[in-house]
Amino acid sequence: MTTLDRYIANLFLKNLAFMLLALVSLYAVIEFIEKVDDFIENQAALVYYFLYPVYNLPLMISNTLPMAVLLAAFATIGGLSRTNQLTALRGGGISISRISRSMFLCGLLLCGLLLFCNLWLTPLGIQQTEYIKEVKIKNKTKDLASESKDIYFRNENRIVHIKRSFPQRGALFGVTIITFDDRFKPVERLQAESGHYQREGLWSFKEVKIWQFSAVDKTIRGYDEKADWLLDLGKDPSQVTQLWNNPEEMTQFELHEIIKTMQADGHDPRVYQLESHLRLSKACIPLIMVLLGMPFALQRGRRPSFALGIIVSLSVFVVYFVLYAVFAALGSSAMLSPVVAAWSANILITLTATWLFLRAQD
């Protein structure tokens, strides 16, 4: 890397650090204002005021990094133009493409960072924040029916219903298990407040209520309550994860596993395939934002307005995420394939950015 590359990369990274810190801080303040009432109302322990934003940090970085990159690219080129350094470089025969080379390299590295966040860190962080919010703070182990996280699966002669699952912690909440006889008539109903994985498919359930039914007339012939109850479901937490219906909270490996399972069972895994491709496409946004930020700065002459840069950045993001949402909806409704739906917004924005970049070099 030449001296020029190091100089411009240093300017870009300094601007990026400032923009990212400002945007993440703003995001965190808004998130805190939204959640603080729940923390106070439920008398949350002080440690969760610290842990919640820490676990939420990958999501905040993932959501704010693209805009920070766009603003940093605008500020870097705008700063060079304002101090006449850009004019001197171009007068010396150095093209815009050569000047921006190190910024594109930084954008490529940021794509790798964002990809790692999207595939693993962000889903794991969402899982942890949901667990803190719903279990540790709100203590909603008895009121999880309002959460649309229901899981149903068949386990030999039993049907299992789970209202909320936290597979990474091996925890289930709101568990109902109905056992049938050979003629598929219910003979037992087990209802547990929570369950925790022990070993080899064995689960320990808490606050258990058990009803036994007569197979002849379906009347209740027995009732019992247990503080603890061990039961073999034949599934470990990762297998429960495969039945979990919130793709945003699943790591890339979990998405891959559920797609394979659903395809083998003859089910349509479109929602999970779309989520997988969207994560890959979103990871490319920093490089696109570098390409898009420079021509807007170059078109403002020697006095690029930073306020205008913010307005332009917000406008670009509104357009991008409208396209992103529209194509994602078309993908979910099977009007477009998951691959086309995930990458269409990126392709349109890239073509626009490339055209603007090439024009700015004339």
Side-chain angles (χ1 to χ4, degrees):
M1 183 176 285
T2 65
T3 302
L4 176 62
D5 289 329
R6 287 196 297 271
Y7 175 69
I8 294 177
N10 187 47
L11 285 177
F12 175 74
L13 292 176
K14 284 182 178 179
N15 287 324
L16 176 65
F18 175 77
M19 303 299 176
L20 188 61
L21 179 61
L23 291 174
V24 169
S25 300
L26 180 61
Y27 193 125
V29 169
I30 295 173
E31 185 80 5
F32 177 77
I33 292 173
E34 289 182 351
K35 299 292 189 300
V36 68
D37 287 343
D38 291 333
F39 280 65
I40 296 173
E41 181 181 350
N42 294 282
Q43 299 180 341
L46 187 61
V47 65
Y48 296 121
Y49 286 85
F50 171 75
L51 288 179
Y52 188 89
V54 169
Y55 286 131
N56 205 35
L57 186 59
L59 179 62
M60 291 191 288
I61 292 176
S62 178
N63 288 340
T64 57
L65 182 60
M67 180 176 284
V69 171
L70 180 58
L71 290 170
F74 184 92
T76 301
I77 297 298
L80 292 174
S81 178
R82 188 168 51 250
T83 57
N84 295 322
Q85 296 179 74
L86 187 62
T87 303
L89 289 171
R90 299 189 72 176
I94 302 177
S95 66
I96 293 296
S97 298
R98 175 64 185 83
I99 295 170
S100 59
R101 186 176 69 178
S102 60
M103 293 174 59
F104 280 111
L105 178 59
C106 291
L108 187 61
L109 294 175
L110 291 170
C111 287
L113 172 63
L114 191 56
L115 180 64
F116 181 68
C117 280
N118 290 343
L119 298 188
W120 288 284
L121 285 185
T122 300
L124 292 174
I126 293 174
Q127 292 175 16
Q128 298 298 333
T129 54
E130 285 294 304
Y131 184 81
I132 291 173
K133 182 174 65 177
E134 304 299 340
V135 178
K136 294 299 184 180
I137 296 176
K138 294 184 179 180
N139 193 26
K140 295 176 67 175
T141 56
K142 296 182 180 180
D143 188 32
L144 289 169
S146 60
E147 300 290 322
S148 58
K149 307 288 184 180
D150 291 350
I151 300 170
Y152 290 89
F153 64 89
R154 186 168 180 174
N155 177 236
E156 296 180 348
N157 63 333
R158 298 185 289 243
I159 291 181
V160 181
H161 171 223
I162 302 168
K163 291 180 180 177
R164 193 67 168 94
S165 170
F166 295 94
Q168 296 298 323
R169 293 180 174 268
L172 309 175
F173 294 93
V175 181
T176 301
I177 302 174
I178 301 177
T179 305
F180 297 86
D181 63 12
D182 295 337
R183 294 174 295 174
F184 204 68
K185 292 185 177 181
V187 294
E188 184 180 272
R189 173 190 171 98
L190 180 148
Q191 187 171 312
E193 184 176 300
S194 63
H196 293 81
Y197 184 69
Q198 301 299 308
R199 63 188 182 280
E200 299 178 352
L202 192 65
W203 293 77
S204 174
F205 293 99
K206 304 291 184 182
E207 304 299 324
V208 178
K209 298 177 182 179
I210 303 173
W211 292 266
Q212 294 179 335
F213 305 100
S214 170
V216 178
D217 55 9
K218 301 179 182 179
T219 58
I220 298 176
R221 64 181 181 86
Y223 173 78
D224 197 6
E225 293 186 6
K226 304 282 187 181
D228 297 280
W229 187 259
L230 288 175
L231 186 65
D232 187 2
L233 290 181
K235 293 183 180 294
D236 59 29
S238 65
Q239 291 171 312
V240 171
T241 301
Q242 292 178 0
L243 301 162
W244 200 10
N245 63 349
N246 192 345
E248 292 182 356
E249 299 177 30
M250 302 174 72
T251 64
Q252 193 68 11
F253 174 76
E254 291 165 351
L255 283 174
H256 179 68
E257 289 298 312
I258 194 173
I259 290 170
K260 287 200 307 182
T261 300
M262 294 183 73
Q263 288 176 331
D265 294 341
H267 300 298
D268 185 8
R270 178 177 299 275
V271 174
Y272 302 96
Q273 290 174 330
L274 179 61
E275 175 66 23
S276 179
H277 287 293
L278 285 174
R279 292 180 182 182
L280 297 176
S281 67
K282 288 171 68 176
C284 298
I285 300 177
L287 197 58
I288 299 172
M289 293 299 107
V290 172
L291 181 63
L292 193 60
M294 289 183 293
F296 281 116
L298 291 170
Q299 289 175 2
R300 305 316 303 171
R302 294 185 178 180
R303 297 293 177 184
S305 170
F306 188 71
L308 179 63
I310 294 177
I311 295 173
V312 169
S313 300
L314 290 173
S315 301
V316 168
F317 267 82
V318 168
V319 172
Y320 173 79
F321 281 109
V322 166
L323 291 173
Y324 172 87
V326 168
F327 284 116
L330 293 175
S332 298
S333 61
M335 296 180 67
L336 292 175
S337 70
V339 176
V340 173
W343 289 94
S344 293
N346 276 15
I347 292 172
L348 290 176
I349 294 296
T350 301
L351 291 175
T352 303
T354 302
W355 178 70
L356 291 172
F357 183 74
L358 293 175
R359 282 195 59 189
Q361 297 189 75
D362 295 339

